[in-house]
Amino acid sequence: MTILLKIWLALFFSVLAIVAYAEDSCSRSSSLADVCCVDGTPHALESGVGYYAFCKISGISGSADCPPDWTYQPDYGGDGGQCIRGLSTRYGEGSGELTVIDSITAFNTCPTGNRETVGDMPLPCGSAEAVSSLCCVDPAFTLPSGAYMHFMCMASKDGITAEECPNGWLHQGEHNQCMSFAPHVSSLSRCGASAQPTGKCFEPVHGQGCTSYIHMDSYEQYGVQGGSTTLAECAAAVKELDGKQGCRGRYFFFEESGYCNCPTDDCTDAINSNAGGPGQLYEFRTGDCSFSGFGECKSSLCTSSGNDCFAPDNEVATCSGGYVPLYTDTGGSYKCCALSGVPSNYQCDASYCTSFANDCYAPGTEAATCSGGYEPFYTDTAGNYNYKCCALS
């Protein structure tokens, strides 16, 4: 073998090694870089091209057949009516007609075996489970007979050419767009708050520790924010991360200061190390760890200026549908949540309230906060803002 050929092969395999492949399966917690994956090599997002994703229910006869908060479009393209909505992601339920893709720089390569190709139309994610997760619906909604759901990824620009399309996407020049289609499904996933445990599905572990952790401090990456995470939110986030990024989700470590950590080892040490601060190691129990939403929260019900779930300074946080605004930080971000009361398997203690004056009262832009892994539950209708600090008993 010649020296030049050896050099060429070395370069070839080094390039293969750094190709960014999408995850083997997709869900609402996946990056949009994986959800809208491409053929061949990753596709860099280009300036001047708009990138979007949206859920679609086809075979609809009227607006009454659409789930709440979805947009009805009658006789779209001669194929009958349809309902559309943005994707559900780790940041909350879908809202609006489209999800704008502007937080990533490239679409990753679809992994081998994780999508099929029909003609020149790749199927992102490639599974019914991915579609139902990304396109969850209101719990009361039933898919009409003959209707089906899927989602699409789209690149749009006036005069867009086939060469500007992400690799393998279908070029639709007459519509100034390129499209990638997920498979059709008839099974539905129900929207809710970020998953919370319905029972005591984890318990403290003593005399045992882990040596290394993923510090889940970033809301953008993990759906929880370091310093303000509750015990239940940490458990749910670790369940979601289990098996990804090296997270071994049999255990999790919750710091007293509101930080969440997923171990990357089997936790066989006698002492706990490198979690970041004092706290408790927990182990998930088997058989009774059912996660489902309570105190349902919907970003689509925010009615502040711009419907953006952001009400800083003197702007009032408001919600529609009888939901209550719950501030998630001190800067004005909030979510709209149902008043479902405190679950029966939770105990409350006012001494854990950490709002101003520790008075379990958080009006205006003040955030309802708790210490010790307790989480806030509003106990009044919108406008009074009394709350309780509760935790699994």
Side-chain angles (χ1 to χ4, degrees):
M1 184 182 293
T2 66
I3 294 176
L4 287 177
L5 181 57
K6 290 180 179 180
I7 294 174
W8 182 89
L9 287 173
L11 290 172
F12 175 77
F13 286 108
S14 67
V15 169
L16 284 181
I18 62 174
V19 169
Y21 283 92
E23 295 179 353
D24 288 339
S25 61
C26 290
S27 70
R28 61 184 297 157
S29 65
S30 299
S31 167
L32 290 172
D34 291 345
V35 171
C36 296
C37 60
V38 299
D39 284 344
T41 58
H43 177 90
L45 273 61
E46 299 180 14
S47 176
V49 179
Y51 299 93
Y52 311 94
F54 59 96
C55 298
K56 174 182 174 182
I57 300 176
S58 300
I60 298 297
S61 59
S63 59
D65 289 338
C66 291
D69 304 320
W70 288 55
T71 299
Y72 174 63
Q73 295 179 333
D75 194 24
Y76 189 83
D79 296 326
Q82 66 180 26
C83 316
I84 64 171
R85 193 209 63 189
L87 302 184
S88 290
T89 67
R90 68 184 73 174
Y91 307 115
E93 312 307 347
S95 62
E97 297 182 6
L98 301 169
T99 295
V100 178
I101 303 175
D102 57 6
S103 59
I104 60 174
T105 59
F107 294 127
N108 292 334
T109 300
C110 294
T112 302
N114 189 45
R115 64 151 201 65
E116 300 174 19
T117 299
V118 180
D120 55 353
M121 297 180 288
L123 303 179
C125 297
S127 72
E129 291 78 12
V131 177
S132 62
S133 176
L134 290 156
C135 300
C136 69
V137 296
D138 187 273
F141 175 73
T142 300
L143 194 67
S145 176
Y148 59 87
M149 174 187 291
H150 60 143
F151 73 86
M152 302 179 179
C153 298
M154 177 173 68
S156 178
K157 187 186 83 168
D158 286 344
I160 193 168
T161 65
E163 289 72 25
E164 293 175 292
C165 289
N167 307 326
W169 290 25
L170 176 67
H171 179 231
Q172 296 179 324
E174 68 276 20
H175 299 302
N176 295 306
Q177 63 191 24
C178 313
M179 302 292 291
S180 180
F181 301 88
H184 298 169
V185 302
S186 55
S187 59
L188 302 178
S189 175
R190 308 299 175 182
C191 293
S194 57
Q196 303 286 348
T198 58
K200 190 175 181 181
C201 62
F202 49 84
E203 55 190 10
V205 177
H206 302 285
Q208 184 177 338
C210 319
T211 58
S212 60
Y213 292 92
I214 297 171
H215 303 296
M216 301 168 65
D217 299 342
S218 168
Y219 184 86
E220 180 179 349
Q221 285 184 278
Y222 304 111
V224 290
Q225 183 61 51
S228 61
T229 303
T230 68
L231 177 60
E233 288 172 342
C234 179
V238 170
K239 271 289 184 183
E240 184 67 37
L241 189 63
D242 183 24
K244 304 172 184 175
Q245 301 179 28
C247 170
R248 299 189 181 185
R250 178 180 175 182
Y251 300 92
F252 68 96
F253 191 91
F254 181 74
E255 298 177 51
E256 296 172 0
S257 52
Y259 288 84
C260 185
N261 306 274
C262 181
T264 58
D265 63 288
D266 292 328
C267 300
T268 56
D269 278 12
I271 59 174
N272 201 69
S273 306
N274 301 320
Q280 177 64 53
L281 181 68
Y282 292 89
E283 181 179 11
F284 285 105
R285 294 166 57 180
T286 59
D288 60 353
C289 195
S290 171
F291 279 71
S292 61
F294 62 78
E296 182 182 42
C297 300
K298 292 184 176 181
S299 60
S300 61
L301 297 181
C302 294
T303 54
S304 54
S305 177
N307 300 326
D308 56 2
C309 298
F310 183 63
D313 303 323
N314 295 324
E315 185 180 348
V316 178
T318 55
C319 303
S320 61
Y323 280 54
V324 176
L326 174 64
Y327 279 96
T328 55
D329 60 31
T330 57
S333 298
Y334 72 96
K335 54 186 177 181
C336 289
C337 303
L339 283 170
S340 59
V342 179
S344 60
N345 57 334
Y346 271 54
Q347 62 180 6
C348 302
D349 190 332
S351 67
Y352 288 93
C353 292
T354 54
S355 54
F356 181 73
N358 301 325
D359 57 3
C360 298
Y361 177 66
T365 58
E366 184 180 350
T369 55
C370 304
S371 62
Y374 281 61
E375 54 189 308
F377 288 85
Y378 276 109
T379 55
D380 291 322
T381 56
N384 292 328
Y385 301 109
N386 293 302
Y387 72 96
K388 294 180 178 180
C389 286
C390 309
L392 282 165
S393 58

